[in-house]
Amino acid sequence: MYARKIKDGIHEVGIQDWGRRLFDSLIPLPDGTSYNSYLLRGSEKTALIDTVDPDFAKEYLENLDELDKLDYLITLHSEQDHSGSIPQVLEKFPSAVVICSEKAKDLLVEHLRLDPAQIRTVAEGETISLGDKTLQFYYTPWVHWPETMVAHAIEDRILFSCDFLGSHSAGSELFDNGDPAVMEAAKRYFAEIMMPFRPAIRGNLAKITKLDFDIVAPSHGPLWNHPEDIISAYEDWVSPRVENKVVIPYVSMHGSTAKMVDHLAKELIKNGVKVEIFDLAVTDIGKLAMALVDAATIVIGSPTVHVGPHPIVANAAILANAIKPKARFAAVIGSYGWANQVVDRILALLPNLKVEVLGSVICKGVAKEHDLQELAKLASLIADRHKQL
Ligand code: FEO
Protein backbone atom coordinates (compact mmCIF):
# COMPACT_ATOMS: atom_id res chain seq x y z
CA MET A 1 0.00 0.00 0.00
CA TYR A 2 1.34 3.43 -1.00
CA ALA A 3 -0.01 6.20 1.22
CA ARG A 4 1.22 9.61 2.36
CA LYS A 5 -0.04 10.62 5.78
CA ILE A 6 -1.73 14.02 6.08
CA LYS A 7 -3.28 13.68 9.54
CA ASP A 8 -4.27 10.71 11.71
CA GLY A 9 -6.55 8.49 9.63
CA ILE A 10 -6.19 10.62 6.49
CA HIS A 11 -3.78 9.68 3.68
CA GLU A 12 -3.14 10.68 0.09
CA VAL A 13 -3.20 7.50 -2.02
CA GLY A 14 -3.26 8.80 -5.60
CA ILE A 15 -0.86 8.81 -8.54
CA GLN A 16 1.98 11.07 -9.72
CA ASP A 17 1.87 11.23 -13.53
CA TRP A 18 5.45 12.37 -14.02
CA GLY A 19 5.56 11.99 -17.80
CA ARG A 20 2.27 13.50 -18.96
CA ARG A 21 2.90 16.49 -21.20
CA LEU A 22 -0.56 17.35 -22.52
CA PHE A 23 -4.03 17.57 -20.99
CA ASP A 24 -7.26 17.58 -23.00
CA SER A 25 -5.00 17.22 -26.07
CA LEU A 26 -4.47 20.98 -25.64
CA ILE A 27 -2.91 22.12 -22.37
CA PRO A 28 0.88 21.76 -21.99
CA LEU A 29 1.98 20.11 -18.74
CA PRO A 30 5.68 21.02 -18.40
CA ASP A 31 5.88 19.40 -14.96
CA GLY A 32 3.46 16.49 -15.38
CA THR A 33 0.51 16.27 -13.04
CA SER A 34 -0.92 14.24 -10.19
CA TYR A 35 -4.31 12.70 -9.55
CA ASN A 36 -4.68 13.01 -5.79
CA SER A 37 -7.01 10.63 -4.00
CA TYR A 38 -7.70 10.77 -0.29
CA LEU A 39 -8.42 7.88 2.05
CA LEU A 40 -10.23 8.75 5.28
CA ARG A 41 -10.53 6.03 7.93
CA GLY A 42 -12.96 7.09 10.63
CA SER A 43 -13.80 5.10 13.77
CA GLU A 44 -16.84 3.59 12.01
CA LYS A 45 -16.67 4.16 8.26
CA THR A 46 -14.06 4.49 5.54
CA ALA A 47 -14.23 6.86 2.58
CA LEU A 48 -12.21 7.62 -0.52
CA ILE A 49 -12.36 11.10 -2.00
CA ASP A 50 -11.90 10.98 -5.78
CA THR A 51 -10.03 8.35 -7.78
CA VAL A 52 -7.45 8.71 -10.58
CA ASP A 53 -7.15 8.78 -14.35
CA PRO A 54 -8.25 5.37 -15.69
CA ASP A 55 -4.86 4.81 -17.33
CA PHE A 56 -3.52 4.34 -13.79
CA ALA A 57 -6.37 2.26 -12.33
CA LYS A 58 -4.22 -0.84 -11.82
CA GLU A 59 -1.45 1.05 -10.03
CA TYR A 60 -4.05 2.92 -7.98
CA LEU A 61 -5.68 -0.31 -6.81
CA GLU A 62 -2.24 -1.53 -5.73
CA ASN A 63 -2.11 1.58 -3.51
CA LEU A 64 -5.30 0.32 -1.89
CA ASP A 65 -4.33 -3.35 -1.61
CA GLU A 66 -4.39 -3.36 2.20
CA LEU A 67 -7.79 -1.71 2.40
CA ASP A 68 -10.34 -4.33 3.46
CA LYS A 69 -13.54 -2.27 3.29
CA LEU A 70 -14.84 0.91 1.71
CA ASP A 71 -18.14 2.48 2.70
CA TYR A 72 -18.17 5.66 0.62
CA LEU A 73 -16.58 6.59 -2.69
CA ILE A 74 -16.93 10.35 -2.80
CA THR A 75 -16.59 12.03 -6.18
CA LEU A 76 -16.29 15.80 -6.05
CA HIS A 77 -15.99 16.18 -9.83
CA SER A 78 -17.01 13.88 -12.67
CA GLU A 79 -14.19 14.53 -15.15
CA GLN A 80 -12.45 11.29 -15.96
CA ASP A 81 -9.05 12.18 -14.48
CA HIS A 82 -10.78 11.87 -11.07
CA SER A 83 -13.77 9.66 -11.73
CA GLY A 84 -12.30 7.36 -14.37
CA SER A 85 -11.24 4.62 -11.96
CA ILE A 86 -14.55 4.47 -10.06
CA PRO A 87 -15.68 1.31 -11.95
CA GLN A 88 -12.50 -0.53 -10.97
CA VAL A 89 -12.81 0.59 -7.34
CA LEU A 90 -16.43 -0.59 -7.27
CA GLU A 91 -15.37 -3.96 -8.68
CA LYS A 92 -13.08 -4.35 -5.66
CA PHE A 93 -15.56 -2.83 -3.18
CA PRO A 94 -19.02 -3.62 -4.61
CA SER A 95 -20.92 -2.44 -1.55
CA ALA A 96 -19.37 1.05 -1.55
CA VAL A 97 -21.83 3.88 -2.10
CA VAL A 98 -20.85 6.59 -4.58
CA ILE A 99 -21.48 10.04 -3.12
CA CYS A 100 -21.78 13.03 -5.46
CA SER A 101 -23.72 16.21 -6.19
CA GLU A 102 -27.12 16.10 -7.83
CA LYS A 103 -25.75 17.27 -11.19
CA ALA A 104 -22.85 14.82 -11.07
CA LYS A 105 -25.09 11.75 -10.93
CA ASP A 106 -26.21 12.00 -14.53
CA LEU A 107 -22.65 12.68 -15.73
CA LEU A 108 -21.30 9.65 -13.88
CA VAL A 109 -24.02 7.41 -15.30
CA GLU A 110 -23.49 8.74 -18.83
CA HIS A 111 -19.69 8.74 -18.87
CA LEU A 112 -18.92 5.69 -16.74
CA ARG A 113 -22.14 3.66 -17.04
CA LEU A 114 -22.45 3.49 -13.26
CA ASP A 115 -25.59 1.90 -11.82
CA PRO A 116 -27.76 4.81 -10.58
CA ALA A 117 -28.84 2.64 -7.63
CA GLN A 118 -25.28 2.71 -6.34
CA ILE A 119 -25.15 6.53 -6.30
CA ARG A 120 -26.32 8.72 -3.44
CA THR A 121 -26.50 12.47 -3.99
CA VAL A 122 -25.84 14.97 -1.23
CA ALA A 123 -27.41 18.39 -0.85
CA GLU A 124 -25.69 21.67 -0.05
CA GLY A 125 -24.41 21.52 3.54
CA GLU A 126 -25.25 17.83 4.02
CA THR A 127 -22.92 15.81 6.24
CA ILE A 128 -21.71 12.24 6.28
CA SER A 129 -20.32 10.76 9.47
CA LEU A 130 -17.38 8.36 9.47
CA GLY A 131 -17.61 8.07 13.26
CA ASP A 132 -14.99 10.40 14.67
CA LYS A 133 -14.73 12.25 11.35
CA THR A 134 -17.43 14.28 9.65
CA LEU A 135 -17.50 15.40 6.05
CA GLN A 136 -19.68 18.32 5.03
CA PHE A 137 -20.37 19.07 1.37
CA TYR A 138 -20.69 22.43 -0.32
CA TYR A 139 -21.62 23.00 -3.93
CA THR A 140 -18.98 25.02 -5.79
CA PRO A 141 -20.35 25.01 -9.34
CA TRP A 142 -18.20 25.95 -12.32
CA VAL A 143 -14.76 25.13 -11.01
CA HIS A 144 -14.73 24.21 -13.85
CA TRP A 145 -17.77 21.98 -14.52
CA PRO A 146 -21.33 22.63 -13.36
CA GLU A 147 -21.46 19.73 -10.90
CA THR A 148 -18.34 20.44 -8.81
CA MET A 149 -18.42 20.45 -5.02
CA VAL A 150 -15.95 20.49 -2.13
CA ALA A 151 -15.82 18.42 1.06
CA HIS A 152 -14.89 19.86 4.43
CA ALA A 153 -13.43 17.48 7.00
CA ILE A 154 -14.73 19.34 10.02
CA GLU A 155 -12.74 17.83 12.91
CA ASP A 156 -9.53 17.56 10.87
CA ARG A 157 -9.88 21.05 9.35
CA ILE A 158 -9.11 20.00 5.78
CA LEU A 159 -10.87 21.31 2.68
CA PHE A 160 -10.92 18.81 -0.19
CA SER A 161 -11.32 21.01 -3.25
CA CYS A 162 -10.71 18.74 -6.28
CA ASP A 163 -9.68 20.88 -9.32
CA PHE A 164 -10.45 24.13 -7.46
CA LEU A 165 -7.18 25.67 -6.13
CA GLY A 166 -5.12 22.91 -7.75
CA SER A 167 -2.01 22.91 -9.93
CA HIS A 168 -0.74 20.59 -12.63
CA SER A 169 2.55 19.24 -11.32
CA ALA A 170 3.99 15.92 -10.31
CA GLY A 171 6.32 15.91 -7.34
CA SER A 172 7.48 14.16 -4.20
CA GLU A 173 6.44 16.89 -1.75
CA LEU A 174 3.06 16.40 -0.10
CA PHE A 175 2.70 20.10 0.79
CA ASP A 176 3.53 23.27 -1.12
CA ASN A 177 5.57 24.67 1.82
CA GLY A 178 5.53 28.13 0.23
CA ASP A 179 7.42 26.97 -2.88
CA PRO A 180 6.96 29.72 -5.54
CA ALA A 181 7.08 27.07 -8.29
CA VAL A 182 3.85 25.59 -6.91
CA MET A 183 2.19 29.00 -6.97
CA GLU A 184 3.32 29.52 -10.56
CA ALA A 185 1.87 26.13 -11.52
CA ALA A 186 -1.36 27.11 -9.76
CA LYS A 187 -1.53 30.37 -11.73
CA ARG A 188 -0.96 28.47 -14.97
CA TYR A 189 -3.73 26.06 -13.97
CA PHE A 190 -6.08 28.93 -13.10
CA ALA A 191 -5.34 30.63 -16.43
CA GLU A 192 -5.94 27.53 -18.52
CA ILE A 193 -8.88 25.98 -16.69
CA MET A 194 -10.59 28.38 -14.30
CA MET A 195 -10.22 31.88 -15.76
CA PRO A 196 -13.49 31.86 -17.77
CA PHE A 197 -15.43 31.26 -14.56
CA ARG A 198 -14.25 34.27 -12.53
CA PRO A 199 -17.75 35.35 -11.36
CA ALA A 200 -18.62 31.83 -10.17
CA ILE A 201 -15.23 31.51 -8.48
CA ARG A 202 -15.74 34.77 -6.59
CA GLY A 203 -18.93 33.31 -5.12
CA ASN A 204 -17.27 30.01 -4.33
CA LEU A 205 -14.35 31.73 -2.61
CA ALA A 206 -16.78 33.71 -0.46
CA LYS A 207 -18.44 30.43 0.50
CA ILE A 208 -15.35 28.40 1.35
CA THR A 209 -13.54 31.15 3.24
CA LYS A 210 -16.28 30.96 5.88
CA LEU A 211 -15.16 27.41 6.67
CA ASP A 212 -12.54 26.49 9.25
CA PHE A 213 -9.57 24.68 7.65
CA ASP A 214 -5.80 24.76 7.84
CA ILE A 215 -5.08 22.55 4.80
CA VAL A 216 -6.47 22.70 1.26
CA ALA A 217 -6.22 19.31 -0.43
CA PRO A 218 -6.80 19.65 -4.20
CA SER A 219 -6.88 16.80 -6.68
CA HIS A 220 -3.87 18.03 -8.68
CA GLY A 221 -0.51 19.14 -7.28
CA PRO A 222 0.71 19.59 -3.71
CA LEU A 223 -1.59 20.33 -0.78
CA TRP A 224 -1.58 23.87 0.56
CA ASN A 225 -0.44 23.98 4.19
CA HIS A 226 -0.78 27.77 4.22
CA PRO A 227 -4.17 28.00 2.50
CA GLU A 228 -4.29 31.76 2.82
CA ASP A 229 -1.61 31.95 0.09
CA ILE A 230 -3.67 30.28 -2.61
CA ILE A 231 -6.93 31.84 -1.44
CA SER A 232 -5.49 35.37 -1.66
CA ALA A 233 -3.91 34.59 -5.04
CA TYR A 234 -7.29 33.44 -6.37
CA GLU A 235 -8.98 36.52 -4.90
CA ASP A 236 -6.56 38.66 -6.89
CA TRP A 237 -6.85 36.62 -10.10
CA VAL A 238 -10.66 36.85 -10.11
CA SER A 239 -10.71 40.53 -9.10
CA PRO A 240 -11.10 43.31 -11.71
CA ARG A 241 -7.51 44.45 -11.05
CA VAL A 242 -5.31 44.56 -14.17
CA GLU A 243 -1.62 45.36 -14.50
CA ASN A 244 -0.06 48.10 -16.57
CA LYS A 245 0.91 45.39 -19.04
CA VAL A 246 0.46 44.61 -22.75
CA VAL A 247 0.55 41.05 -24.01
CA ILE A 248 1.47 40.69 -27.68
CA PRO A 249 0.85 37.26 -29.22
CA TYR A 250 1.93 37.28 -32.86
CA VAL A 251 3.09 35.31 -35.88
CA SER A 252 5.44 36.57 -38.58
CA MET A 253 6.16 34.78 -41.84
CA HIS A 254 8.82 37.00 -43.44
CA GLY A 255 9.70 39.39 -40.62
CA SER A 256 7.34 42.32 -41.34
CA THR A 257 4.96 41.69 -38.45
CA ALA A 258 7.90 40.83 -36.16
CA LYS A 259 9.46 44.22 -36.95
CA MET A 260 6.17 45.95 -36.06
CA VAL A 261 5.90 44.00 -32.80
CA ASP A 262 9.45 44.94 -31.90
CA HIS A 263 8.84 48.62 -32.61
CA LEU A 264 5.54 48.70 -30.69
CA ALA A 265 7.17 46.94 -27.73
CA LYS A 266 10.01 49.50 -27.60
CA GLU A 267 7.53 52.38 -27.75
CA LEU A 268 5.42 50.84 -24.98
CA ILE A 269 8.50 50.34 -22.80
CA LYS A 270 9.51 53.97 -23.43
CA ASN A 271 6.03 54.91 -22.19
CA GLY A 272 6.50 52.90 -18.98
CA VAL A 273 4.31 49.93 -19.97
CA LYS A 274 5.33 46.35 -19.23
CA VAL A 275 5.32 44.10 -22.31
CA GLU A 276 5.19 40.33 -22.77
CA ILE A 277 5.67 39.01 -26.31
CA PHE A 278 4.77 35.53 -27.54
CA ASP A 279 5.78 34.19 -30.95
CA LEU A 280 2.82 31.85 -31.40
CA ALA A 281 4.71 29.61 -33.81
CA VAL A 282 6.87 28.35 -30.95
CA THR A 283 5.31 29.55 -27.70
CA ASP A 284 4.01 27.53 -24.76
CA ILE A 285 0.33 28.54 -24.75
CA GLY A 286 0.22 27.96 -20.99
CA LYS A 287 2.67 30.85 -20.54
CA LEU A 288 0.54 33.01 -22.80
CA ALA A 289 -2.56 32.11 -20.76
CA MET A 290 -0.70 33.05 -17.54
CA ALA A 291 0.31 36.42 -18.98
CA LEU A 292 -3.34 37.07 -19.83
CA VAL A 293 -4.49 36.63 -16.21
CA ASP A 294 -3.80 40.26 -15.37
CA ALA A 295 -2.81 42.09 -18.58
CA ALA A 296 -4.69 45.34 -19.25
CA THR A 297 -4.24 45.14 -23.03
CA ILE A 298 -3.85 42.51 -25.73
CA VAL A 299 -2.29 43.44 -29.05
CA ILE A 300 -2.55 40.68 -31.64
CA GLY A 301 -0.01 40.64 -34.45
CA SER A 302 -0.67 38.76 -37.66
CA PRO A 303 0.52 38.61 -41.24
CA THR A 304 -2.13 38.08 -43.90
CA VAL A 305 -2.69 34.59 -45.30
CA HIS A 306 -4.90 35.00 -48.39
CA VAL A 307 -7.06 37.79 -46.93
CA GLY A 308 -7.38 36.67 -43.30
CA PRO A 309 -5.13 36.17 -40.26
CA HIS A 310 -2.47 33.48 -40.09
CA PRO A 311 -4.22 30.26 -38.94
CA ILE A 312 -2.02 30.03 -35.84
CA VAL A 313 -3.16 33.53 -34.85
CA ALA A 314 -6.79 32.56 -35.47
CA ASN A 315 -6.30 29.52 -33.25
CA ALA A 316 -4.81 31.65 -30.46
CA ALA A 317 -7.66 34.16 -30.78
CA ILE A 318 -10.21 31.34 -30.40
CA LEU A 319 -8.32 30.15 -27.33
CA ALA A 320 -8.17 33.67 -25.83
CA ASN A 321 -11.89 34.03 -26.46
CA ALA A 322 -12.50 30.75 -24.63
CA ILE A 323 -10.46 31.61 -21.53
CA LYS A 324 -11.99 35.12 -21.32
CA PRO A 325 -9.15 37.18 -19.83
CA LYS A 326 -10.10 40.39 -18.05
CA ALA A 327 -8.16 42.67 -20.44
CA ARG A 328 -9.78 46.07 -20.94
CA PHE A 329 -8.23 47.05 -24.29
CA ALA A 330 -7.21 45.40 -27.56
CA ALA A 331 -5.54 46.29 -30.83
CA VAL A 332 -4.43 44.49 -33.97
CA ILE A 333 -1.25 45.02 -35.93
CA GLY A 334 0.21 43.25 -38.95
CA SER A 335 1.12 43.30 -42.59
CA TYR A 336 -0.31 42.22 -45.93
CA GLY A 337 0.75 41.81 -49.53
CA TRP A 338 -2.21 42.70 -51.75
CA ALA A 339 -5.50 42.55 -49.78
CA ASN A 340 -6.51 42.08 -46.18
CA GLN A 341 -9.43 41.70 -43.80
CA VAL A 342 -7.22 40.74 -40.88
CA VAL A 343 -8.55 43.19 -38.31
CA ASP A 344 -12.24 42.42 -38.79
CA ARG A 345 -11.66 38.68 -38.93
CA ILE A 346 -9.55 38.63 -35.74
CA LEU A 347 -11.98 40.80 -33.78
CA ALA A 348 -14.86 38.59 -34.93
CA LEU A 349 -13.12 35.70 -33.14
CA LEU A 350 -13.17 37.55 -29.79
CA PRO A 351 -16.86 38.13 -28.89
CA ASN A 352 -16.34 37.07 -25.26
CA LEU A 353 -13.70 39.71 -24.56
CA LYS A 354 -15.16 42.87 -23.04
CA VAL A 355 -12.48 45.08 -24.55
CA GLU A 356 -12.37 48.52 -26.07
CA VAL A 357 -10.55 48.29 -29.39
CA LEU A 358 -7.97 51.07 -29.39
CA GLY A 359 -7.11 50.76 -33.05
CA SER A 360 -5.09 48.86 -35.59
CA VAL A 361 -1.94 49.35 -37.62
CA ILE A 362 -1.81 47.28 -40.79
CA CYS A 363 0.97 47.96 -43.29
CA LYS A 364 1.54 46.88 -46.87
CA GLY A 365 4.76 44.90 -47.07
CA VAL A 366 7.43 46.06 -44.65
CA ALA A 367 6.57 48.80 -42.14
CA LYS A 368 7.58 52.23 -43.44
CA GLU A 369 8.29 55.36 -41.40
CA HIS A 370 4.61 56.29 -41.44
CA ASP A 371 3.63 52.84 -40.06
CA LEU A 372 6.25 53.10 -37.33
CA GLN A 373 4.83 56.48 -36.34
CA GLU A 374 1.36 54.94 -36.17
CA LEU A 375 2.71 52.24 -33.87
CA ALA A 376 4.27 54.91 -31.65
CA LYS A 377 0.90 56.66 -31.48
CA LEU A 378 -0.81 53.39 -30.57
CA ALA A 379 1.75 52.82 -27.78
CA SER A 380 1.15 56.31 -26.45
CA LEU A 381 -2.64 55.80 -26.51
CA ILE A 382 -2.33 52.49 -24.66
CA ALA A 383 -0.10 54.05 -22.02
CA ASP A 384 -2.59 56.91 -21.53
CA ARG A 385 -5.52 54.53 -21.19
CA HIS A 386 -3.63 52.42 -18.66
CA LYS A 387 -2.96 55.52 -16.57
CA GLN A 388 -6.71 56.20 -16.45
CA LEU A 389 -7.46 52.76 -14.97
FE1 FEO B 1 -8.85 17.49 -12.99
FE2 FEO B 1 -11.61 18.86 -14.31
O1 FEO B 1 -10.46 17.48 -13.93
Side-chain angles (χ1 to χ4, degrees):
M1 180 154 182
Y2 169 82
R4 300 188 292 171
K5 182 175 176 180
I6 302 168
K7 290 192 176 182
D8 286 346
I10 302 182
H11 292 78
E12 196 286 306
V13 293
I15 294 290
Q16 302 295 316
D17 191 349
W18 302 90
R20 189 164 181 175
R21 287 293 173 266
L22 206 57
F23 200 89
D24 289 344
S25 299
L26 174 67
I27 297 166
L29 302 178
D31 304 310
T33 191
S34 68
Y35 317 108
N36 302 342
S37 172
Y38 299 100
L39 177 62
L40 286 78
R41 282 185 271 212
S43 55
E44 295 171 17
K45 305 272 190 189
T46 299
L48 265 179
I49 297 181
D50 291 322
T51 69
V52 303
D53 190 282
D55 285 351
F56 291 89
K58 183 169 177 291
E59 191 181 330
Y60 176 56
L61 287 177
E62 287 167 8
N63 290 355
L64 303 174
D65 60 0
E66 291 171 20
L67 189 64
D68 53 10
K69 69 156 188 145
L70 181 66
D71 300 290
Y72 302 119
L73 179 43
I74 294 162
T75 182
L76 301 177
H77 173 33
S78 309
E79 195 167 6
Q80 288 86 337
D81 51 329
H82 311 292
S83 67
S85 297
I86 290 176
Q88 292 87 338
V89 173
L90 292 180
E91 263 180 45
K92 183 175 167 71
F93 302 103
S95 63
V97 176
V98 175
I99 304 284
C100 66
S101 70
E102 190 69 46
K103 281 199 170 140
K105 182 174 180 178
D106 178 56
L107 290 168
L108 292 172
V109 171
E110 289 295 329
H111 286 278
L112 300 170
R113 299 178 183 274
L114 298 191
D115 176 359
Q118 201 163 6
I119 300 175
R120 173 179 153 194
T121 62
V122 286
E124 169 81 3
E126 192 169 334
T127 58
I128 285 182
S129 174
L130 307 179
D132 60 349
K133 298 184 187 300
T134 312
L135 286 169
Q136 189 161 26
F137 301 95
Y138 295 92
Y139 283 16
T140 50
W142 295 111
V143 288
H144 58 123
W145 278 20
E147 88 303 1
T148 41
M149 65 177 186
V150 298
H152 182 215
I154 295 172
E155 296 84 356
D156 294 287
R157 305 178 70 228
I158 301 174
L159 185 74
F160 297 96
S161 61
C162 202
D163 280 353
F164 192 20
L165 312 173
S167 61
H168 276 314
S169 62
S172 58
E173 296 297 308
L174 181 59
F175 293 105
D176 79 292
N177 293 319
D179 182 350
V182 180
M183 185 58 77
E184 177 163 326
K187 185 173 186 181
R188 172 188 278 265
Y189 187 81
F190 169 85
E192 294 164 335
I193 310 284
M194 300 289 173
M195 190 150 65
F197 307 107
R198 288 191 302 279
I201 291 172
R202 277 195 286 273
N204 290 327
L205 285 171
K207 184 185 284 190
I208 65 166
T209 47
K210 292 190 179 113
L211 307 177
D212 180 25
F213 54 87
D214 55 21
I215 290 173
V216 167
S219 57
H220 296 293
L223 287 67
W224 301 95
N225 49 356
H226 299 286
E228 62 278 8
D229 294 348
I230 187 64
I231 298 278
S232 65
Y234 258 69
E235 285 174 341
D236 178 49
W237 297 336
V238 301
S239 77
R241 187 191 71 83
V242 286
E243 279 186 25
N244 176 23
K245 178 170 84 176
V246 175
V247 170
I248 313 179
Y250 80 100
V251 167
S252 190
M253 294 193 294
H254 299 291
S256 298
T257 303
K259 181 180 174 184
M260 297 175 76
V261 167
D262 183 61
H263 190 74
L264 177 66
K266 285 176 177 152
E267 291 295 326
L268 285 165
I269 293 164
K270 276 201 279 182
N271 279 279
V273 179
K274 184 176 171 186
V275 180
E276 289 193 56
I277 296 174
F278 297 90
D279 177 350
L280 294 169
V282 294
T283 202
D284 168 351
I285 58 165
K287 287 206 164 199
L288 171 60
M290 263 196 288
L292 290 174
V293 168
D294 39 29
T297 297
I298 306 171
V299 177
I300 297 175
S302 180
T304 304
V305 175
H306 304 308
V307 295
H310 191 287
I312 293 176
V313 173
N315 184 51
I318 291 169
L319 185 64
N321 188 59
I323 63 176
K324 296 185 190 170
K326 58 187 171 187
R328 308 286 179 81
F329 308 109
V332 178
I333 64 173
S335 63
Y336 69 100
W338 46 91
N340 93 89
Q341 299 171 13
V342 166
V343 177
D344 288 346
R345 292 198 183 189
I346 288 177
L347 295 178
L349 295 172
L350 302 169
N352 289 340
L353 270 59
K354 307 296 178 214
V355 289
E356 177 187 348
V357 179
L358 295 181
S360 61
V361 181
I362 304 293
C363 73
K364 187 168 168 107
V366 179
K368 321 291 187 303
E369 187 55 35
H370 168 75
D371 304 307
L372 298 179
Q373 285 171 7
E374 290 300 307
L375 289 168
K377 277 192 215 166
L378 177 61
S380 175
L381 176 61
I382 291 170
D384 283 348
R385 300 308 296 268
H386 284 196
K387 283 179 191 143
Q388 291 166 17
L389 288 174

